[in-house]
């Protein structure tokens, strides 16, 4: 939380440590400038004593000051482990389609990465079955209806995409399991131990039953209606799968074994993207992590389960050169240790877009686009918000699941802004004091450092035809400056001059924006 006095150019930030065991945390503010952080569900007298740290940091009257200090003090929560992950910065897809597509067209739209939509698995959680050359039927919301695939076919898809210059993230999930799960357990169907994986009910109740996350016994039965879930029953989720606790040893080892299989069997996949972190908000009342106290008794927070699991998964994947992305439904910095990037399903929401952008000052942020209608009301505003925040929206890609698909109109919009989105690749936020400013607030401006110099998106200028941009804190002496505009792939020179410790650029705008490049 940051307080600022602009007239004195003075600010102070109260910064909580992401290294602490944070379970549930709120921040309340009032009209008089008061703030209150509150922590919930911590246990006193457990296996580990609660420890909370807060730093009080003074800086300039700029929100960047607190974030600058925090990212330097806790770099492992901000920095990717795999530096080459910045090559994946660009527009993206969530598609299961393996058909040919227009490669040149997608590259003009700054396309880089497909999070391979989840339907390669026979059911949720069984991402790479324990088979060699055997095929299985993909799950598509209805068992056995997705068509055949195999580990060899998945590996070939990653190899082909890598050859074309694109990246593949394979689907992973550590909080959900199964399809068409029956509760109480149905009769066993597998004829042998080797066949156990073929039926999700058999595998769940035969190998992973102790990891099931149950609705608390204290929950009111009438609050759950007459559905299949309720007190002392599993939480049900997509495809009649159920929620799971990755802190349970049996389930943790099952997941880690699949990660090992991914490393060795899908060598040209760039890594995984872990879905559905929203379940980490829950507590397992049937276990005790030595930290949590929930509904008047010890419990296990799935936040603690996740942190323990990532201590094993992170080094395993990273030592093999594989990246880890997350779909961070629960947008918390302390969950991002060992995470290389975010693929956020909810960036159509302004608060989600802002939060994900600030969580990704050093890592790539890929944002979701649900449908063409989200863009049509204000296409320039749509792209310029993403560019201003350094986030790449999803591209219109064949077979995108519950997300943007191609059309002549939407393709045109992405082609208009494609070169500007390409120019951001490798960007990292510049957090020096007052790094970017537009005189008279005629537009919004941000500043990113790239391998070649700096990129300054000047956005949301409306009908303004030109602005004066002031940049501060640049390392080295600018050699040249140029601007890029929508539907114009050619950079045009921009004059610049020195004013004290600042650089001043007179930037022409088109459609209310420009992407400014400063070379060193």
């Amino acid at each position: 939380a940051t307080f600022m006095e602009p007239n004195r150019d003075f600010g102070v930030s109260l910064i909580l440590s992401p290294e602490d065991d944070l379970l549930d945390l709120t921040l309340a503010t009032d009209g008089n400038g008061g703030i209150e952080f509150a922590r919930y569900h911590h246990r006193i007298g457990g296996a580990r004593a609660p420890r909370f740290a807060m730093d009080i940091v003074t800086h300039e009257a700029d929100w960047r000051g607190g974030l600058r200090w925090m990212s330097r003090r806790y770099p492992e929560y901000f920095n990717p482990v795999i530096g080459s992950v910045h090559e994946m910065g660009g527009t993206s897809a969530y598609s299961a389609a393996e058909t040919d597509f227009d490669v040149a067209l997608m590259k003009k739209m700054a396309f880089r990465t497909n999070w391979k939509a989840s339907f390669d698995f026979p059911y949720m959680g069984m991402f790479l079955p324990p088979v060699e050359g055997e095929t299985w039927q993909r799950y598509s919301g209805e068992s056995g209806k997705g068509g055949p695939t195999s580990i060899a076919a998945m590996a070939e898809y990653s190899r082909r995409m890598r050859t074309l210059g694109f990246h593949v993230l394979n689907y992973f999930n550590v909080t959900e399991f199964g399809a068409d799960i029956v509760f109480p357990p149905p009769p066993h169907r597998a004829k042998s131990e080797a066949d156990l994986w073929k039926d999700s009910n058999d595998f769940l109740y035969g190998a992973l039953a102790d990891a099931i996350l149950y609705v608390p016994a204290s929950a009111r039965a009438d609050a759950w209606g007459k559905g299949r879930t309720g007190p002392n029953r599993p939480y049900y989720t997509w495809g009649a799968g159920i929620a799971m606790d990755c802190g349970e040893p049996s389930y943790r080892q099952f997941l880690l074994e699949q990660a090992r299989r991914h490393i060795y069997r899908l060598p040209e996949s760039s890594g995984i993207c872990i879905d559905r972190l929203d379940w980490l908000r829950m507590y397992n009342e049937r276990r005790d992590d030595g930290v949590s106290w929930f509904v008047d008794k010890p419990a296990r927070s799935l936040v603690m389960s996740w942190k323990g699991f990532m201590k094993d998964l992170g080094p395993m994947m990273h030592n093999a050169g594989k990246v880890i992305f997350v779909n961070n439904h629960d947008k918390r910095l302390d969950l991002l240790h060992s995470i290389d990037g975010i693929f956020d399903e909810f960036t159509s929401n302004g608060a989600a877009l802002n939060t994900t952008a600030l969580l990704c000052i050093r890592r790539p942020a890929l944002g979701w686009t649900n449908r063409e209608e989200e863009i049509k009301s204000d296409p320039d505003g749509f792209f310029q918000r993403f560019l201003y925040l350094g986030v790449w929206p999803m591209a219109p890609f064949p077979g995108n699941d519950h997300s943007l698909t191609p059309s002549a109109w939407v393709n045109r919009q992405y082609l208009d802004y494609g070169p500007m989105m390409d120019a951001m690749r490798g960007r990292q936020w510049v957090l020096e004091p007052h790094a970017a400013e537009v005189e008279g607030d005629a537009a919004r401006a941000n500043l990113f450092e790239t391998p070649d110099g700096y990129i300054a998106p000047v956005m949301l200028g409306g009908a303004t035809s030109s602005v004066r941009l002031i940049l501060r804190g640049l390392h080295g002496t600018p050699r040249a400056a140029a601007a890029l505009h929508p539907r114009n792939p050619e950079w045009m020179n921009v004059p610049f001059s020195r004013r004290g410790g600042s650089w001043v650029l007179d930037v022409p705008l088109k459609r209310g924006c420009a992407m400014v490049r400063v070379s060193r």
Side-chain angles (χ1 to χ4, degrees), residues 166-427:
F166 305 120
H167 295 266
V168 172
L169 292 169
N170 287 100
Y171 186 92
F172 213 74
N173 188 314
V174 304
T175 54
E176 297 178 313
F177 184 86
D180 305 313
I181 295 298
V182 177
F183 185 84
H188 199 67
R189 297 175 59 185
K191 296 179 180 179
S192 69
E193 191 75 17
D195 289 338
L196 197 65
W197 71 269
K198 295 181 179 180
D199 183 281
S200 62
N201 281 285
D202 279 355
F203 198 89
L204 173 68
Y205 294 115
L208 306 175
D210 52 354
I212 296 173
L213 185 66
Y214 288 90
V215 177
S218 58
R220 287 172 42 228
D222 59 352
W224 295 87
K226 297 181 179 180
R228 71 184 123 209
T229 194
N232 290 314
R233 296 174 68 86
Y235 285 98
Y236 273 82
T237 182
W238 178 78
I242 60 171
M244 302 283 278
D245 180 355
C246 63
E248 196 63 28
S250 61
Y251 188 47
R252 181 173 63 233
Q253 290 307 313
F254 167 70
L255 293 169
L256 292 173
E257 180 54 40
Q258 292 197 78
R260 292 187 191 96
R261 212 172 294 151
H262 171 97
I263 289 168
Y264 294 109
R265 303 301 297 274
L266 305 179
E268 295 189 79
S269 167
S270 294
I272 59 175
C273 184
I274 304 175
D275 200 9
R276 294 300 302 263
L277 297 196
D278 50 325
W279 288 108
L280 301 186
R281 301 183 178 109
M282 310 304 287
Y283 289 81
N284 185 345
E285 288 190 332
R286 303 184 179 207
R287 297 292 183 266
D288 178 6
D289 59 17
V291 172
S292 306
W293 186 264
F294 187 73
V295 194
D296 297 326
K297 62 182 177 182
R300 180 196 283 157
S301 163
L302 264 64
V303 166
M304 300 304 295
S305 296
W306 165 265
K307 291 179 179 180
F309 175 71
M310 286 303 298
K311 288 180 181 177
D312 293 329
L313 180 69
M316 179 189 298
M317 296 295 289
H318 293 139
N319 289 340
K322 301 273 192 172
V323 303
I324 303 174
F325 276 64
V326 292
N327 182 10
N328 63 328
H329 293 52
D330 201 6
K331 302 187 188 312
R332 297 171 49 146
L333 179 68
D334 62 322
L335 301 181
L336 300 183
H337 190 288
S338 302
I339 298 302
D340 300 289
I342 288 177
F343 199 132
D344 180 7
E345 190 176 358
F346 293 100
T347 48
S348 56
N349 174 281
L353 176 59
N354 289 346
T355 306
T356 289
L358 292 171
L359 290 170
C360 289
I361 59 171
R362 299 283 182 266
R363 51 170 75 94
L366 312 181
W368 199 270
T369 309
N370 288 300
R371 59 188 69 86
E372 187 174 302
E373 287 68 27
E374 285 182 14
I375 306 171
K376 274 196 167 178
S377 62
D378 182 11
D380 289 323
F382 170 84
F383 287 101
Q384 290 175 35
R385 284 191 296 274
F386 276 84
L387 289 167
Y388 170 61
L389 291 168
V391 181
W392 288 272
M394 287 180 76
F397 191 82
N400 262 348
D401 182 70
H402 70 286
S403 52
L404 187 67
T405 52
S407 74
W409 183 85
V410 79
N411 286 1
R412 179 68 264 169
Q413 312 312 309
Y414 274 77
L415 290 170
D416 284 356
Y417 279 91
M420 300 172 75
M421 293 188 286
D422 250 337
M424 289 201 308
R425 187 161 299 122
R427 101 290 178 272

Side-chain angles (χ1 to χ4, degrees), residues 39-254:
R39 301 172 177 88
Y40 296 89
H41 305 309
H42 290 274
R43 181 179 175 188
I44 298 174
R48 189 158 66 210
R51 176 189 177 277
F52 303 122
M54 180 177 74
D55 284 278
I56 303 174
V57 178
T58 59
H59 49 78
E60 72 283 359
D62 187 340
W63 59 267
R64 294 174 179 86
L67 190 57
R68 178 176 67 248
W69 186 93
M70 194 177 193
S71 62
R72 292 172 179 171
R73 170 62 180 81
Y74 303 106
E76 62 275 18
Y77 291 89
F78 290 91
N79 297 342
V81 179
I82 303 296
S84 61
V85 71
H86 289 292
E87 297 173 5
M88 301 173 70
T91 62
S92 55
Y94 182 66
S95 173
E98 297 180 355
T99 55
D100 291 336
F101 57 91
D102 190 330
V103 172
L105 177 69
M106 295 311 301
K107 288 185 175 180
K108 290 178 181 177
M109 296 182 187
F111 178 72
R112 299 294 283 188
T113 302
N114 183 27
W115 178 14
K116 190 69 157 46
S118 51
F119 314 113
D120 280 335
F121 51 64
Y123 53 83
M124 176 63 75
M126 188 61 70
F127 307 116
L128 290 172
V131 297
E132 293 299 324
E134 191 174 341
T135 63
W136 63 84
Q137 294 294 315
R138 306 183 212 213
Y139 186 76
S140 63
E142 189 175 351
S143 296
K145 299 296 185 181
T149 193
S150 64
I151 291 176
M154 295 171 67
E156 171 58 21
Y157 176 77
S158 292
R159 186 205 64 77
R160 183 165 62 91
M161 289 291 280
R162 183 66 69 93
T163 300
L164 295 173
F166 305 120
H167 295 266
V168 172
L169 292 169
N170 287 100
Y171 186 92
F172 213 74
N173 188 314
V174 304
T175 54
E176 297 178 313
F177 184 86
D180 305 313
I181 295 298
V182 177
F183 185 84
H188 199 67
R189 297 175 59 185
K191 296 179 180 179
S192 69
E193 191 75 17
D195 289 338
L196 197 65
W197 71 269
K198 295 181 179 180
D199 183 281
S200 62
N201 281 285
D202 279 355
F203 198 89
L204 173 68
Y205 294 115
L208 306 175
D210 52 354
I212 296 173
L213 185 66
Y214 288 90
V215 177
S218 58
R220 287 172 42 228
D222 59 352
W224 295 87
K226 297 181 179 180
R228 71 184 123 209
T229 194
N232 290 314
R233 296 174 68 86
Y235 285 98
Y236 273 82
T237 182
W238 178 78
I242 60 171
M244 302 283 278
D245 180 355
C246 63
E248 196 63 28
S250 61
Y251 188 47
R252 181 173 63 233
Q253 290 307 313
F254 167 70

